[in-house]
Amino acid sequence: MKFAYKFSNLLGAFYRHGNLCFSKDGNSAISPVGNRISVFDLKNNKSETLPASTTKNISCLGISPDGNLAILIDEDGAAILVSLVTRAVLHHHHFHSPVHSVSFSPDGRKFVITKENVALMYHAPGRNREFNAFALDKSYYGPFDETTCIDWTDDSKCFAVGSKDMTTWIFGAERWANLIYYSLGGHKDIIVGCFFENDSLDMYTVSQEGTLCVWESDTELEGLRKGPKYSERKKMEEEKKKREEGESNEDDDVEDIVGEDGETRGDVIKGSADTPKQVEGIKNVRYSQRSKHYFNKAGDFNKLTAAAFHKKTHILVTGFASGAFHLHELPEFDLIHSLSISDQRISTIAMNPTGDWIGFGCSGLGQLLVWEWQSESYVFKQQGHFNNMNSLAYSPDGQYLVTGGDDGKVKVWNTNSGLCFVTFTEHSSGVTNVAFTSSGFVVVSASLDGTVRAFDLHRYRNFRTMTSPRPAQFSSLAVDSSGELVCAGSQDSFEIFLWSMQTGRLLEVLSGHEGPVSNLCFSPVQSVLASVSWDKTVRLWDMLDSWQTKETLRLTSDGLAVTYRPDGQELAVASLDGEITFWTPQTGGQTGSIAGRHDLQMGRKETEKITAKQSAKGKSFTSLCYSADGESILAGGQSKFVCIYNIKEHVLMKKFEISCNLSLDAMEEFLDRRKMTEFGSLSLVDEGTGDGDGVELSLPGVKRGDMSSRRFIPEIRVSSLCFSPTGRSWAAASTEGLLIYSLDASLVFDPYDLDMDVTPASIRQQMKKKEWASAILLSFRLNEMPLIREVLEAVPYDQITVVCSSLPDVYVDKLLNFVASTLEKSNHLQFYLSWAQCLLTLHGQKLKNRSGAVLPTVQQLLKSIQRHSDDLSKLCDWNIYNIRYAAALSKQRGMKRTAAESLSDEEEEEEEEVEMDSGGWCLKHQSFPQPPHIPEDY
């Protein structure tokens, strides 16, 4: 087995902190999730998390106007420049202090960041390669407190900066003679948003107390005039001084910063309370307050927390701490509608370029919502687990994932789209374990509220609730291969409860353990239940023989996790001493062990008194999972690493670092000495009450943070691991969310039976000779995926059966595996289905004899077929609806046409009756009307 797995997606996290952005076409929302960003395709209902990551949580991000570049800035001011096309990191930069906001100019040539009370304007990176992609152009000083927001004019001539000192400052991006800086007041609280009107210098400012000020400028954008350069202005002032005596010697508003080496660093625009000096012959820009409006007229003390303005539609969106938002049309301040979308504080608002969709981010619960205000409907609404994610499980076909968390919710995710499509909230306490039945349409969950619940994925309802005779907190769960038996282990009564899925009745209570039951697992091939407990034993229970103990395995330490190999011939157990032991279930004998304590590499928490090396001696693996082929095992615990071991050799094959986010606790092995004082670590100091930034020590015995404290840092941990049944990916439930690692076949060169004659040229030569079977064998010996695809798609459709029948058995498995993986993303649906059908029909019996090795490939094939079936069924349903609508519409128009024709016929008959003279002469046909025909026998 090859270990070319790489990070592919992050599920369960949609928004953490920072600002939202939309793509250039407005069809995708870009959201910061921890130290990464996720792109949510709202048209195709898919999500993707970029592999690029910052050192700490992202505080703000900016997208270039062409949508190709993104600047990600973390809490400490470390920035990375990321290409949204190639997903690669292009440049690293550090601003040396926290950055509050970043914004590109509309022309894409500059970008401005605000930190402390300064606004810094940089040259935006272009198409040319540069040694320093971030070149400082100008520094703007003016606000007396921290800056909060930025907005640009449409022509990139000026930008505005809001501040916590209740003022808004307008600066010129170039050396304008009549607008160097301008300060706007009128508010009594922090400025939340400042916005320019479309193609104008007119401004709107919104503050936290719920006040909107409308500012009108006496100058248009075309009225801005270029000012003289610094040297010219200096000469003019010297000449003026010579002519006029007694004039005060004031410093210039614009000066150059010159470094020690004599190189010009950039310009500094210094604002002051005085009006900037006016250049002769040019009138300075002046602002006047046109109107002032209030959002909270009814005396509501609900604070305004976020705002966004769309210049073309003149729509202002404001969000409040209560979760409500208002839509107003400016400048008249007409209320369009007011709704509440959450019970949490709205942290950020963004509007897409067309102004139809509004994105909301609520950091309290990690919610991300996209609202279409015209139809008043949700375009996108997702939320992850509020607290820790405790467990996960794959469906039998690998298409779905189910997770359970401390918030009592059970969520089911689609692995293709990366989105949650159903959430069950019936549990009243934390969910400790979840599982799929063998059918894949029933999810079972165990909770600390004393219930085990079964959910139907067809009707999305809780159809079974199983409880124990006495109240118990269930910490483990297992479902047998038939889906008929459900087991749950108790952590307080040391018993295992057995229910029937069909009736929901309690069948048996299995007693024998002398400590809490930590984990359960059913054998995939037999009706045997394995249970591991803190009493240092593993018990095997025979479900067919009166539920008696079949075997008892003695461990050297407390048992924490147990799992069966997919073929049921081996059992792996993780214990408290950091060892993984392997057993044969039939004989009860131990076959090997792995000492993995040193592979965890624990970090040191900020509040710990001992070093990470000493702390690691008490750590162990808490989650185990076999790979799909049974050759390797995944192990994870209270660490940022997931280890994968080769079982046969008992060696560590690879360690995956699931996170490099230093905003989480226990990430670094050594504490920062700069935080150490003579009284201890600064992290142990309580900085006071009510300031919102203090650190409160957790209570004794609290492992996952004290939720009642003012602020706590979540600790990095891996609570659950699961390999996909297809063998092409595995998932880890961690503090960061649900991490998916997929097989990266593009980076692996793994030739099979390679010699000098196997080259791309020789393969294409065989294709020209139409030797299809030989070309396929040579391409698999070279094992380059693009070349294999080229050869397969060159085979004529009528030759597929002939080629499949002539393949050796070794290459049948390889070809079937390639078809299964390619079918998932290929548009040649019928072509690859024909290959799969021929392979299974001609070689089905031989594949059945080695079903254990072929099973992951078949499950991958089923997953791909099911995905295409779902997509096609939706498309066909939509087409049927359109055809019916068109038929009904044409029928309705036909009825109208028939009615119109009959009406016109009646009108003609009436005209014929009228157009006759008194003698019966028809004036229209110029004849007498014919008499009616009378029968002869009348």
Side-chain angles (χ1 to χ4, degrees):
M1 180 180 177
K2 305 299 179 291
F3 302 101
Y5 289 95
K6 68 172 184 177
F7 172 79
S8 65
N9 208 353
L10 173 63
L11 281 64
F14 298 98
Y15 174 76
R16 294 279 174 81
H17 178 67
N19 60 300
L20 290 176
C21 289
F22 277 93
S23 60
K24 182 182 178 182
D25 57 4
N27 295 332
S28 299
I30 302 171
S31 171
V33 284
N35 64 335
R36 292 185 172 99
I37 61 170
S38 293
V39 181
F40 299 97
D41 189 346
L42 306 177
K43 288 284 188 182
N44 300 316
N45 204 34
K46 290 184 178 180
S47 72
E48 179 191 6
T49 303
L50 271 61
S53 60
T54 57
T55 309
K56 289 192 174 183
N57 286 335
I58 296 173
S59 61
C60 57
L61 66 95
I63 308 296
S64 62
D66 58 5
N68 294 333
L69 298 175
I71 297 177
L72 316 180
I73 307 175
D74 67 11
E75 296 169 344
D76 285 347
I80 59 174
L81 180 67
V82 179
S83 169
L84 297 179
V85 179
T86 62
R87 298 336 195 210
V89 177
L90 305 178
H91 184 65
H92 290 264
H93 188 81
H94 207 298
F95 294 106
H96 303 294
S97 60
V99 175
H100 305 112
S101 55
V102 58
S103 177
F104 276 88
S105 62
D107 60 6
R109 298 174 61 186
K110 304 286 181 65
F111 70 89
V112 172
I113 65 105
T114 60
K115 65 172 187 176
E116 299 172 346
N117 63 334
V118 189
L120 304 176
M121 185 166 67
Y122 288 83
H123 292 285
R127 298 180 182 272
N128 300 326
R129 288 190 176 185
E130 299 168 314
F131 176 74
N132 182 14
F134 290 1
L136 180 63
D137 184 22
K138 294 182 180 68
S139 301
Y140 296 86
Y141 292 86
F144 296 97
D145 205 339
E146 292 182 354
T147 48
T148 56
C149 54
I150 308 170
D151 191 49
W152 286 84
T153 55
D154 290 334
D155 57 1
S156 306
K157 291 182 177 179
C158 303
F159 65 92
V161 175
S163 171
K164 287 186 178 180
D165 65 358
M166 302 175 287
T167 61
T168 303
W169 291 75
I170 302 169
F171 296 104
E174 301 178 29
R175 296 174 182 269
W176 305 116
N178 51 345
L179 180 58
I180 300 173
Y181 62 86
Y182 202 98
S183 176
L184 302 175
H187 291 280
K188 299 180 181 179
D189 210 338
I190 297 171
I191 303 296
V192 175
C194 55
F195 313 103
F196 281 103
E197 183 57 271
N198 189 31
D199 293 327
S200 174
L201 282 173
D202 296 346
M203 284 227 43
Y204 304 105
T205 56
V206 182
S207 60
Q208 200 174 69
E209 88 276 10
T211 303
L212 167 71
C213 289
V214 182
W215 304 91
E216 190 173 14
S217 170
D218 62 353
T219 308
E220 296 297 328
L221 286 171
E222 294 77 11
L224 295 177
R225 296 288 180 264
K226 284 274 189 179
K229 294 183 179 180
Y230 170 69
S231 56
E232 296 176 0
R233 295 187 63 183
K234 194 172 183 181
K235 289 179 181 179
M236 292 169 59
E237 288 184 0
E238 288 177 355
E239 292 176 359
K240 195 174 182 179
K241 285 178 184 178
K242 292 177 182 179
R243 290 196 305 264
E244 299 178 7
E245 294 181 0
E247 185 170 318
S248 60
N249 187 12
E250 297 178 350
D251 292 336
D252 255 357
D253 291 314
V254 183
E255 61 185 31
D256 287 340
I257 297 180
V258 181
E260 296 177 358
D261 54 356
E263 183 183 355
T264 302
R265 305 292 188 192
D267 296 342
V268 174
I269 310 299
K270 292 185 177 180
S272 63
D274 301 328
T275 306
K277 287 177 283 187
Q278 184 170 315
V279 179
E280 293 183 4
I282 301 178
K283 185 181 178 183
N284 281 353
V285 175
R286 300 285 180 182
Y287 276 89
S288 59
Q289 191 180 90
R290 179 177 170 184
S291 58
K292 196 171 187 178
H293 306 281
Y294 301 93
F295 292 94
N296 302 325
K297 293 182 180 179
D300 185 11
F301 294 100
N302 184 15
K303 285 191 174 182
L304 191 149
T305 55
F309 177 67
H310 192 262
K311 298 181 181 181
K312 294 182 180 178
T313 58
H314 306 284
I315 298 296
L316 175 69
V317 188
T318 50
F320 295 85
S322 63
F325 75 94
H326 297 168
L327 257 73
H328 289 87
E329 186 175 6
L330 299 182
E332 289 80 12
F333 199 68
D334 296 331
L335 180 65
I336 298 175
H337 66 228
S338 175
L339 292 171
S340 179
I341 57 170
S342 174
D343 56 356
Q344 296 291 320
R345 173 180 178 269
I346 296 177
S347 304
T348 180
I349 299 176
M351 296 186 75
N352 72 334
T354 59
D356 299 326
W357 294 346
I358 307 170
F360 299 94
C362 303
S363 59
L365 292 177
Q367 292 176 318
L368 177 62
L369 308 111
V370 180
W371 175 264
E372 188 174 23
W373 63 273
Q374 291 174 334
S375 63
E376 298 189 13
S377 60
Y378 285 110
V379 177
F380 186 87
K381 185 179 183 182
Q382 291 285 314
Q383 176 185 338
H385 287 283
F386 172 59
N387 290 337
N388 296 321
M389 194 182 294
N390 290 330
S391 61
L392 69 95
Y394 267 100
S395 63
D397 59 357
Q399 192 169 1
Y400 302 119
L401 266 169
V402 61
T403 58
D406 280 346
D407 55 359
K409 294 180 180 179
V410 177
K411 289 179 172 288
V412 187
W413 309 82
N414 189 315
T415 56
N416 295 322
S417 66
L419 302 178
C420 172
F421 63 91
V422 62
T423 302
F424 300 106
T425 59
E426 280 78 7
H427 284 294
S428 58
S429 186
V431 178
T432 55
N433 219 316
V434 290
F436 268 100
T437 60
S438 56
S439 65
F441 299 112
V442 176
V443 171
V444 186
S445 61
S447 172
L448 295 176
D449 63 2
T451 63
V452 174
R453 297 178 183 269
F455 303 96
D456 183 6
L457 292 186
H458 282 304
R459 298 178 179 85
Y460 300 137
R461 63 185 180 94
N462 174 210
F463 69 94
R464 286 282 182 275
T465 302
M466 293 159 271
T467 58
S468 57
R470 298 178 301 277
Q473 290 185 315
F474 298 122
S475 58
S476 54
L477 176 73
V479 182
D480 76 331
S481 56
S482 65
E484 296 295 326
L485 298 177
V486 179
C487 292
S490 170
Q491 66 180 16
D492 43 14
S493 64
F494 313 154
E495 295 171 329
I496 301 171
F497 298 90
L498 184 67
W499 295 273
S500 167
M501 179 69 81
Q502 290 289 338
T503 62
R505 294 180 57 186
L506 181 67
L507 300 178
E508 187 67 25
V509 179
L510 308 179
S511 301
H513 280 296
E514 299 174 359
V517 180
S518 52
N519 205 356
L520 298 172
C521 184
F522 267 103
S523 171
V525 293
Q526 296 176 327
S527 292
V528 176
L529 174 70
S531 62
V532 63
S533 170
W534 292 7
D535 61 2
K536 303 181 182 179
T537 63
V538 176
R539 292 179 179 266
L540 303 180
W541 311 82
D542 193 348
M543 297 290 103
L544 300 179
D545 188 12
S546 303
W547 303 298
Q548 294 181 359
T549 304
K550 180 181 178 182
E551 195 80 41
T552 301
L553 312 178
R554 299 290 175 182
L555 305 175
T556 57
S557 184
D558 297 1
L560 300 179
V562 62
T563 183
Y564 269 98
R565 201 166 68 184
D567 59 0
Q569 303 302 312
E570 189 177 73
L571 196 69
V573 182
S575 53
L576 191 62
D577 56 1
E579 284 198 356
I580 303 174
T581 53
F582 301 95
W583 306 77
T584 303
Q586 288 76 16
T587 62
Q590 184 176 345
T591 59
S593 65
I594 296 174
R597 171 173 291 169
H598 299 291
D599 298 328
L600 276 173
Q601 283 190 357
M602 299 298 299
R604 182 176 179 179
K605 295 200 294 184
E606 291 186 348
T607 55
E608 278 185 339
K609 299 292 198 302
I610 59 175
T611 62
K613 187 176 181 180
Q614 291 293 329
S615 176
K617 293 181 180 180
K619 304 300 180 182
S620 56
F621 294 115
T622 57
S623 180
L624 294 176
C625 179
Y626 273 97
S627 62
D629 56 5
E631 296 180 2
S632 317
I633 192 166
L634 277 171
Q638 199 165 351
S639 169
K640 63 178 179 178
F641 290 105
V642 172
C643 303
I644 187 163
Y645 294 95
N646 184 287
I647 299 173
K648 186 178 180 180
E649 302 294 337
H650 293 171
V651 295
L652 176 68
M653 299 297 295
K654 190 172 182 180
K655 288 167 69 173
F656 297 93
E657 186 178 9
I658 61 171
S659 177
C660 59
N661 188 1
L662 297 183
S663 295
L664 302 174
D665 205 0
M667 285 294 297
E668 295 183 286
E669 187 176 356
F670 302 101
L671 293 182
D672 190 351
R673 288 192 175 185
R674 290 172 293 184
K675 294 183 179 180
M676 302 300 293
T677 65
E678 56 182 327
F679 305 105
S681 174
L682 289 175
S683 302
L684 302 175
V685 179
D686 189 355
E687 297 181 355
T689 59
D691 56 359
D693 294 325
V695 178
E696 187 161 319
L697 298 179
S698 59
L699 297 175
V702 175
K703 295 291 185 184
R704 301 185 183 179
D706 185 8
M707 295 299 292
S708 64
S709 64
R710 290 184 289 277
R711 184 175 74 91
F712 75 97
I713 303 176
E715 182 181 352
I716 186 68
R717 63 190 299 133
V718 178
S719 55
S720 183
L721 291 168
C722 190
F723 234 103
S724 172
T726 63
R728 303 192 62 83
S729 62
W730 56 271
S734 69
T735 313
E736 287 275 76
L738 184 57
L739 299 160
I740 308 293
Y741 285 80
S742 299
L743 195 61
D744 183 18
S746 61
L747 299 180
V748 181
F749 177 64
D750 182 31
Y752 176 79
D753 193 17
L754 188 65
D755 57 26
M756 295 297 292
D757 297 331
V758 181
T759 62
S762 63
I763 295 171
R764 291 187 174 94
Q765 190 67 29
Q766 294 292 326
M767 291 170 60
K768 289 180 180 179
K769 295 179 181 179
K770 297 187 178 181
E771 298 287 341
W772 307 116
S774 175
I776 289 175
L777 294 183
L778 291 176
S779 64
F780 273 105
R781 288 173 66 181
L782 191 61
N783 206 12
E784 288 187 1
M785 296 304 163
L787 191 60
I788 297 174
R789 188 179 298 109
E790 180 184 345
V791 173
L792 273 186
E793 294 180 359
V795 177
Y797 182 77
D798 55 356
Q799 294 293 316
I800 293 178
T801 306
V802 179
V803 172
C804 289
S805 61
S806 61
L807 286 176
D809 294 342
V810 179
Y811 292 94
V812 170
D813 295 0
K814 293 179 176 295
L815 181 56
L816 188 62
N817 188 20
F818 177 80
V819 169
S821 59
T822 308
L823 181 62
E824 187 174 2
K825 296 181 180 179
S826 176
N827 294 327
H828 306 297
L829 185 57
Q830 183 182 1
F831 181 75
Y832 282 106
L833 283 176
S834 301
W835 278 102
Q837 183 181 10
C838 291
L839 288 171
L840 295 174
T841 304
L842 298 173
H843 304 275
Q845 190 59 42
K846 295 180 181 178
L847 291 172
K848 188 177 180 180
N849 295 335
R850 50 180 189 274
S851 59
V854 182
L855 184 60
T857 302
V858 176
Q859 288 175 331
Q860 172 72 15
L861 188 63
L862 286 173
K863 177 186 175 183
S864 303
I865 294 173
Q866 183 64 39
R867 179 189 174 187
H868 283 293
S869 175
D870 294 342
D871 293 343
L872 285 175
S873 62
K874 292 178 182 177
L875 184 62
C876 292
D877 291 343
W878 177 250
N879 289 340
I880 290 171
Y881 167 76
N882 283 336
I883 291 170
R884 287 177 179 174
Y885 176 74
L889 198 62
S890 62
K891 185 178 179 181
Q892 186 179 5
R893 289 181 177 176
M895 292 174 62
K896 288 183 179 180
R897 190 181 298 111
T898 305
E901 289 176 356
S902 61
L903 185 62
S904 63
D905 292 343
E906 291 177 0
E907 291 177 353
E908 288 180 0
E909 291 176 0
E910 290 177 359
E911 289 177 359
E912 289 182 358
E913 291 176 359
V914 172
E915 293 179 353
M916 288 186 183
D917 61 2
S918 58
W921 181 260
C922 180
L923 299 176
K924 182 175 182 181
H925 300 286
Q926 296 296 317
S927 64
F928 286 100
Q930 298 294 326
H933 176 70
I934 300 174
E936 294 179 356
D937 58 349
Y938 178 72

